[in-house]
Amino acid sequence: MFRHAQLESVKAWLGDPAHQALPRHVRIQRAIRQLILDGALDAGRPLPASRALARSLGVSRDTVEAAYGQLHAEGFIERRVGSGSFVSAQALRVPRQPPSSRPGQPAAAALSQRGSAMLAGGGVRESLTARPFAPGIPETRNFPLPVWERLQRLVLKEHGARALAHCHPQGMESLRRAIADYINLERGARAAPERILVLTSSQQALSLCATVLLDVGERICVEDPVYHGARKAFDAAGLDCVPIPLDGDGMQVGHLDAVANARAVFLTPSHQFPSGTTLSLARRLGVIDWARRQQAWIIEDDYDSEFHYAGKPTACVQGLDDEQRTIYIGTFTKSLFPGLRIAYMLLPPALVAPMTVARSLQDGHNATIAQLTLARFIEGGHFGAHVRAMRSVYAARRDRLARLVDEHLGDFVTAEVPAGGMQMPCFLRAGIDEAPAVAAAQRAGIELLGLSPLSAGGGGCPGFLMGFAAYTPEEMAIALRQLAAVLQGLTAK
């Protein structure tokens, strides 16, 4: 029979708000099972009669009978006609859970070295809501939803149930064709549909490059400072990241020759992240020549090249590369909306099959309906029209942010107005520490990305990135006044 403490334990399970979604018989069954697993009820111990337990718990006898029936089916109790219910001897063979692994007390996981590195790196945390001044977030309130909805209806009407099925891991042919046509025209690429691999994100593309092209311990050259998502993908894959310094013309590619046995280089040549510089044509040709001589790969992340505000953007490195050593990465997360989850790689012919097979081991393929809708969106000219409209909006917001920063933060930071992109680097003046400033801003509801952690060599200038694409001038003005008060409070201490 139950002792008082055991009966109270079952009552606690029954009344716990965390368990209210479960039927009563399930709550009773799990409470008794836990007592058995904890060793509080030994093998052969008789359980209370169902009528008596029902009376003690204030439930119907049928409820207790249902709980006992499930425990019997799982082998935790035996039911003997005329004698009652007893804890089964089989329960002794169920491994006892150590206290640290019981509900509410998760056990420490034994991770691989790679898993530990991923956990220590903290992952790549995207802002779920567009809080000023989170970088890299597009304005979604202006997105032409009625157009998208109409095109999606057309897709479903044309394809029917076929749009609900699996598709090839390389992506729908119509979308690959639309992407190839667009980047050939707008980015000067040399693309063909059969060389496009549709993915869920640029982060997936970086992870595939890290694991398919290089082995653990091999060297990859990266910009310094570097995009944090790339660095974390390469670190998680166990690569040796070698920082290459920047100047006003982007990565100093002449330093690449001093790096022995480098297998690849990672670049953001259109708008270097986070500095915003553009890699000069001479250096683009220089990195192509280096890759040819070293038989190395160029990983070109063209993450927001649509948003260039002064003159024509420089052609992508891939379009200049006769050696076919360049992997070109693009995404629609920045140009359309994050929830779309569609990005792509333009691959050298020799890498199409390996990358597609590797991708099939991760998530199989992108949602078919979204791919077909996006293909129509691009083919119908809606993508180009949306980008042109948002380019004008973002340019005005960039200029407005620069004025607001000068007005409210002039005593604390120096801003560098970028020629393109969706975020503005601001460098802290002497006397203000970066980490406390970023942390205090976060507590005030303002998202800033610190610049120092992005320096692979550890010598970055203290400051932060301020995204401006997703925020109206009024929203930026309110947030900047709050940020000014935060920084003022730090300097007053």
Side-chain angles (χ1 to χ4, degrees), residues 200-243:
T200 56
S201 66
S202 57
Q203 196 65 37
Q204 183 183 32
L206 292 169
S207 295
L208 283 170
C209 289
T211 54
V212 174
L213 302 180
L214 293 92
D215 286 317
V216 173
E218 289 193 311
R219 288 183 159 187
I220 181 169
C221 296
V222 299
E223 300 164 321
D224 187 20
V226 64
Y227 169 54
H228 54 289
R231 179 62 188 268
K232 290 183 176 184
F234 302 152
D235 284 346
L239 307 186
D240 179 10
C241 294
V242 181

Side-chain angles (χ1 to χ4, degrees), residues 86-298:
F86 302 82
V87 177
S88 171
Q90 295 181 49
L92 291 174
R93 294 196 290 272
V94 178
R96 297 290 187 253
Q97 300 182 59
S100 61
S101 67
R102 291 174 188 158
Q105 303 177 43
L111 303 178
S112 67
Q113 291 183 357
R114 183 178 293 109
S116 298
M118 290 180 182
L119 180 62
V124 180
R125 299 171 184 170
E126 300 288 354
S127 298
L128 298 182
T129 57
R131 296 201 312 177
F133 292 92
I137 299 179
E139 175 60 87
T140 56
R141 289 168 290 192
N142 294 10
F143 185 76
L145 276 173
V147 174
W148 187 268
E149 183 181 14
R150 176 174 59 82
L151 295 177
Q152 185 167 281
R153 286 199 307 269
L154 290 173
V155 164
L156 291 171
K157 183 177 180 180
E158 177 181 340
H159 294 271
R162 288 176 295 147
L164 310 180
H166 287 278
C167 81
H168 192 279
Q170 191 175 346
M172 299 299 293
E173 197 276 336
S174 61
L175 178 57
R176 291 188 283 112
R177 183 177 60 249
I179 291 171
D181 290 345
Y182 177 79
I183 59 177
N184 285 340
L185 177 64
E186 297 293 336
R187 300 297 300 121
R190 299 181 182 181
E194 59 270 18
R195 292 172 56 188
I196 298 289
L197 173 59
V198 179
L199 301 168
T200 56
S201 66
S202 57
Q203 196 65 37
Q204 183 183 32
L206 292 169
S207 295
L208 283 170
C209 289
T211 54
V212 174
L213 302 180
L214 293 92
D215 286 317
V216 173
E218 289 193 311
R219 288 183 159 187
I220 181 169
C221 296
V222 299
E223 300 164 321
D224 187 20
V226 64
Y227 169 54
H228 54 289
R231 179 62 188 268
K232 290 183 176 184
F234 302 152
D235 284 346
L239 307 186
D240 179 10
C241 294
V242 181
I244 306 296
L246 307 175
D247 61 19
D249 288 327
M251 176 186 275
Q252 299 179 41
V253 299
H255 290 237
L256 292 172
D257 286 324
V259 182
N261 302 317
R263 293 289 314 281
V265 60
F266 171 76
L267 297 166
T268 52
S270 294
H271 303 132
Q272 199 279 329
F273 189 99
S275 70
T277 60
T278 298
L279 190 67
S280 68
L281 177 59
R283 292 187 180 179
R284 291 171 188 243
L285 297 175
V287 76
I288 291 170
D289 180 62
W290 172 83
R292 176 188 60 79
R293 289 184 283 107
Q294 298 295 324
Q295 290 298 286
W297 299 106
I298 301 168

